Amino acid sequence: MPPIAPITQDVLTIPRKDPVGDKINLVGLTREKLRDVLIEHGTPEKQAKMRVGQIWQWIYGWGVRDFDDMTNLSKSLREDLKAAFVVAVPEVVTKQVSEDGTRKYLVKIAGGHEVEVVYIPETDRGTLCVSSQVGCTLTCSFCHTGTQKLVRNLSAGEIIGQVMVARDDLGEWPEQGAKNTETRLLSNIVLMGMGEPLYNFENVRDAMNIAMDPEGIQLSRRRITLSTSGVVPEIARTAAEIGCQLAVSFHATTDEVRNQLVPINKRWNIETLIEALRAYPRVSNSERITFEYVMLNGVNDSDEDAYRLLELIKGIPAKINLIPFNEWPGAPYKRSSNNRIRAFSDIIHDGGYASPVRKPRGEDIMAACGQLKSETERARKSRKQIESEAGL
Ligand code: SAH
Ligand code: SF4
């Protein structure tokens, strides 16, 4: 088996308390951690639970960032909080809106790194595609993000902060004292942006538990989908500690092809992955697993592939999401034809599974699946290209 780069390579450790300057950022702390930092900074233990509840409501219920606006806290407490803490979210550097209404935000996080966040409005829902890492350590050959060298894991605050800045932009924080409305502009989260969420497990878990908390953002775990390339040892943990919906980047029906498309398959092959997936719905009490399958012309899109896929997933409650390949500059693959995608989808459908074809969204602003990459990184690449074209 060829060696695979250690997963910690190039990953900077994120300090537990996510400091901003010399102050601690409260965004991203679980209720328990929030309680701990408040007590460490002088809140009497007896009051801590109540204070956590109040601050939580301001931050995640009403989107308030300034302690001075937290009017049910005494003035002196607000001063104390201001001296030790901040409520900080990533800074939106640019926002692009696609012809189809998709919004792409480029946000800046500590260290000057940038990640992309995509909001996709649909008739019955609005989905936010959230990033979990700057770049990705994995190198799936069809993925643009995979060509960017990983810089670091995002902290829990930077992950939930993406949801908060999108809510800011959508104007979706309820008035103080009010609750969320029934119909939400941002009703679903998918962890399908940049990075492999299961290589940043604790931060992703804490951020999603904040999103699902019964107070505040309050999204049901059925409205959160985590997509993994197949980090098998973390799948059972996802069921136990997050319990959200699971999507898996399957993309091939033989180990030979999957090794090439999703190289993590060399570590955990199809059989091992399927075994882990089989247990997931029961343990997480979720309905079904989404199998993502990118349609690459002549690579993984034959009728035989479709039949093999049906064999492999037998007995697993599943839906197969067919993703027409989104091209990016220099990509080594082509998208399968519409007829081929339809024929593949029909075989899966006749085999008893839902097999929707994902409609590419926001392609004109490079916001579609697998097209994300930091702008700075893109600029750097194109400068390199210019230099080589000029023979420098
Ligand atoms: N790292 C995670 C989540 C991010 S990728 C994962 O791999 O699952 C989100 C989805 O987009 C994955 O299914 C991924 O395989 C798919 N994808 C990546 N590049 C793509 C491309 N160029 N066209 C279409 N889908 C792509
Ligand atoms: Fe990373 Fe997912 Fe892209 Fe693979 S498909 S390189 S795991 S972001």
Side-chain angles (χ1 to χ4, degrees), residues 21-33:
D22 55 358
K23 297 186 184 176
I24 295 168
N25 187 7
L26 297 185
V27 175
L29 302 185
T30 59
R31 281 181 184 269
E32 295 71 38
K33 286 182 190 164

Side-chain angles (χ1 to χ4, degrees), residues 160 163 189 206-213 217-220 224:
I160 195 66
V163 179
I189 295 176
D206 288 355
M208 291 307 108
N209 280 319
I210 291 172
M212 294 185 290
D213 190 279
I217 298 170
Q218 282 178 307
L219 286 179
S220 142
I224 297 179

Side-chain angles (χ1 to χ4, degrees), residues 86-274:
V86 289
V87 179
V89 295
E91 175 200 347
V92 178
V93 182
T94 58
K95 169 180 146 187
Q96 286 170 278
V97 182
S98 156
E99 286 164 358
D100 68 13
T102 300
R103 301 181 188 200
K104 183 169 85 169
Y105 310 97
L106 180 71
V107 301
K108 192 180 269 180
I109 54 170
H113 304 295
E114 292 166 345
V115 288
E116 292 179 325
V117 193
V118 180
Y119 172 72
I120 307 149
E122 288 172 278
T123 43
D124 61 337
R125 68 179 68 186
T127 303
L128 193 71
C129 181
V130 167
S131 293
S132 56
Q133 298 182 310
V134 178
C136 187
T137 38
L138 301 173
T139 52
C140 303
S141 51
F142 54 90
C143 175
H144 202 200
T145 307
T147 65
Q148 180 180 336
K149 204 168 175 309
L150 175 73
V151 185
R152 71 166 171 84
N153 277 342
L154 299 193
S155 67
E158 289 162 346
I159 298 169
I160 195 66
Q162 296 171 55
V163 179
M164 296 165 75
V165 295
R167 286 197 102 184
D168 291 349
D169 185 52
L170 295 166
E172 202 172 32
W173 294 107
E175 287 289 317
Q176 284 161 32
K179 296 269 176 216
N180 289 302
T181 51
E182 281 291 307
T183 40
R184 305 257 206 121
L185 292 171
L186 197 171
S187 62
N188 293 61
I189 295 176
V190 292
L191 282 149
M192 295 187 186
M194 294 164 68
E196 168 48 59
L198 296 189
Y199 273 167
N200 187 14
F201 186 86
E202 282 84 5
N203 290 320
V204 166
R205 175 198 60 200
D206 288 355
M208 291 307 108
N209 280 319
I210 291 172
M212 294 185 290
D213 190 279
E215 303 277 339
I217 298 170
Q218 282 178 307
L219 286 179
S220 142
R221 63 190 186 84
R222 297 194 186 280
R223 291 187 172 273
I224 297 179
T225 303
L226 183 152
S227 174
T228 179
S229 57
V231 185
V232 166
E234 304 291 358
I235 289 180
R237 240 180 126 194
T238 306
E241 297 178 34
I242 311 177
C244 59
Q245 306 297 305
L246 187 71
V248 62
S249 293
F250 209 65
H251 304 323
T253 59
T254 64
D255 281 325
E256 197 189 349
V257 176
R258 196 162 191 271
N259 283 349
Q260 270 171 21
L261 298 180
V262 190
I264 200 178
N265 194 69
K266 294 176 196 161
R267 193 179 277 183
W268 296 291
N269 66 12
I270 291 181
E271 194 189 336
T272 320
L273 176 59
I274 289 282

Side-chain angles (χ1 to χ4, degrees), residues 55-111:
I55 294 170
W56 191 275
Q57 187 61 43
W58 285 112
I59 298 178
Y60 301 113
W62 301 320
V64 167
R65 310 275 148 79
D66 190 337
F67 291 111
D68 282 332
D69 295 335
M70 302 187 180
T71 46
N72 60 355
L73 305 179
S74 73
K75 204 142 191 266
S76 71
L77 175 59
R78 282 184 254 159
E79 292 304 321
D80 291 347
L81 292 172
K82 265 198 286 187
F85 307 118
V86 289
V87 179
V89 295
E91 175 200 347
V92 178
V93 182
T94 58
K95 169 180 146 187
Q96 286 170 278
V97 182
S98 156
E99 286 164 358
D100 68 13
T102 300
R103 301 181 188 200
K104 183 169 85 169
Y105 310 97
L106 180 71
V107 301
K108 192 180 269 180
I109 54 170

